[in-house]
Amino acid sequence: MRKIYLAGNWKMNKTFQEADDFLYELGEYLEEKTLRNVEAIICPPFPYLELVTDMAEELPLSCGAQNVSEYKSGAYTGEISAEMLSSMEVEYCITGHSERRNIFGESNSVVNAKIKQLQEHFIIPILCIGEKLEERDAGKTDEVVLSQLQGSLKDIKIDGNLFIAYEPVWAIGTGKTATPQQAQEVHKLIREWLRENYGEDVAADIPILYGGSVKPGNLKELLREADIDGGLIGGASLEIEGYIKMLEIAGNLK
Ligand code: PGA
């Protein structure tokens, strides 16, 4: 049975106490329940990473960062390096999220540099790609997604240590989810691109997550699609009840 990944992207939310309370409840759930074929990944803001990595030592939980510097080390005030993340046992890192691309002006080449830094420190990048509404309406979805893949992964060797998240920008935080069919079409395109560029085995190994208004009510239908291996979940991962519900749904999937 294939593995399903549910990555909670908390973005810039929660106080320390709120993060601690959420993780306490998640810990109780994970202690009690054996999750087969489902991996829970929590991507908190930087100051709370250690809360998650500490728990990950004892429980079936993984920790992801939401961002990383494109630079190695040195005089870059406010930046966090891949080496720092790796020294804290962080396993994953989101890169190329549309909020980073659109609000902070991150280009494919910056995303590319970040992925290279992460690879040097054996942190698995979760590379986000996705089209804006006007691009979809203009029939440019495939073109945009492929050019983000090409640009972000330029000159990068992939041997399976990569996740991709397809996140149509028009579906993020809007309550509008892509239909399972719309998502599957793009996931299939991504899988084909991976096959052409890295070969059959690597393409089959790379999890492709869907992101954009995933919630307990639509997760099951999305996960039924052949090329959807999990979710990158923003808003619906902030409430512990909803996140646990999604772990249950994924765990019960036949
Ligand atoms: P959302 O965010 O689930 O709130 O739409 C997803 C994301 O941006 O990763």
Side-chain angles (χ1 to χ4, degrees):
M1 207 182 174
R2 75 193 172 118
K3 194 164 178 186
I4 294 169
Y5 300 86
L6 293 185
N9 174 12
W10 285 0
K11 307 191 182 182
M12 196 172 74
N13 290 296
K14 291 195 187 294
T15 61
F16 182 81
Q17 191 58 52
E18 286 164 353
D20 201 36
D21 290 348
F22 178 107
L23 292 168
Y24 178 80
E25 287 192 49
L26 181 61
E28 292 220 306
Y29 171 79
L30 292 172
E31 249 167 37
E32 209 167 275
K33 178 96 189 184
T34 316
L35 284 176
R36 286 192 194 84
N37 304 312
V38 184
E39 183 170 326
I41 305 170
I42 296 291
C43 306
F46 285 132
Y48 313 149
L49 282 172
E50 202 176 353
L51 289 178
V52 181
T53 53
D54 274 356
M55 259 179 72
E57 279 177 23
E58 315 282 334
L59 292 167
L61 172 72
S62 303
C63 180
Q66 295 176 20
N67 190 21
V68 67
S69 176
E70 68 195 278
Y71 304 110
K72 205 176 182 63
S73 67
Y76 300 102
T77 301
E79 289 289 277
I80 305 286
S81 70
E83 186 182 26
M84 293 173 189
L85 297 178
S86 144
S87 72
M88 293 182 70
E89 315 283 338
V90 169
E91 291 164 82
Y92 297 94
C93 182
I94 299 171
T95 49
H97 191 281
S98 62
E99 287 149 18
R100 303 279 339 155
R101 291 179 188 269
N102 300 327
I103 304 172
F104 300 97
E106 277 185 18
S107 61
N108 283 327
S109 73
V110 169
V111 177
N112 182 267
K114 291 183 173 196
I115 294 176
K116 287 179 179 158
Q117 287 297 324
L118 291 170
Q119 280 198 323
E120 265 186 45
H121 295 280
F122 307 100
I123 296 171
I124 300 178
I126 303 177
L127 167 61
C128 302
I129 51 175
E131 81 289 0
K132 295 181 184 155
L133 186 58
E134 60 269 27
E135 292 164 337
R136 174 162 281 263
D137 288 347
K140 289 191 171 158
T141 299
D142 292 10
E143 192 186 309
V144 169
V145 163
L146 293 178
S147 91
Q148 287 175 337
L149 275 174
Q150 259 144 15
S152 309
L153 294 174
K154 191 165 181 278
D155 301 328
I156 289 182
K157 280 213 179 82
I158 302 291
D159 53 12
N161 281 340
L162 174 74
F163 278 38
I164 290 176
Y166 168 56
E167 299 206 308
V169 180
W170 48 273
I172 296 180
T174 58
K176 275 190 216 154
T177 331
T179 64
Q181 296 70 27
Q182 281 174 324
Q184 167 59 21
E185 265 174 35
V186 181
H187 281 232
K188 189 163 172 247
L189 176 82
I190 296 168
R191 188 89 66 199
E192 274 161 13
W193 186 87
L194 291 171
R195 197 172 289 132
E196 275 163 30
N197 287 277
Y198 301 108
E200 187 67 46
D201 292 349
V202 171
D205 265 8
I206 293 181
I208 308 176
L209 314 183
Y210 168 78
S213 299
V214 174
K215 48 185 184 269
N218 58 25
L219 180 67
K220 193 167 166 188
E221 307 313 316
L222 288 159
L223 292 179
R224 283 216 175 106
E225 297 295 332
D227 291 295
I228 301 183
D229 302 305
L232 180 55
I233 308 159
S237 74
L238 290 172
E239 298 297 331
I240 185 64
E241 295 78 15
Y243 187 64
I244 287 179
K245 201 157 188 205
M246 291 187 277
L247 293 174
E248 290 279 312
I249 291 168
N252 291 331
L253 209 72
K254 298 260 171 359

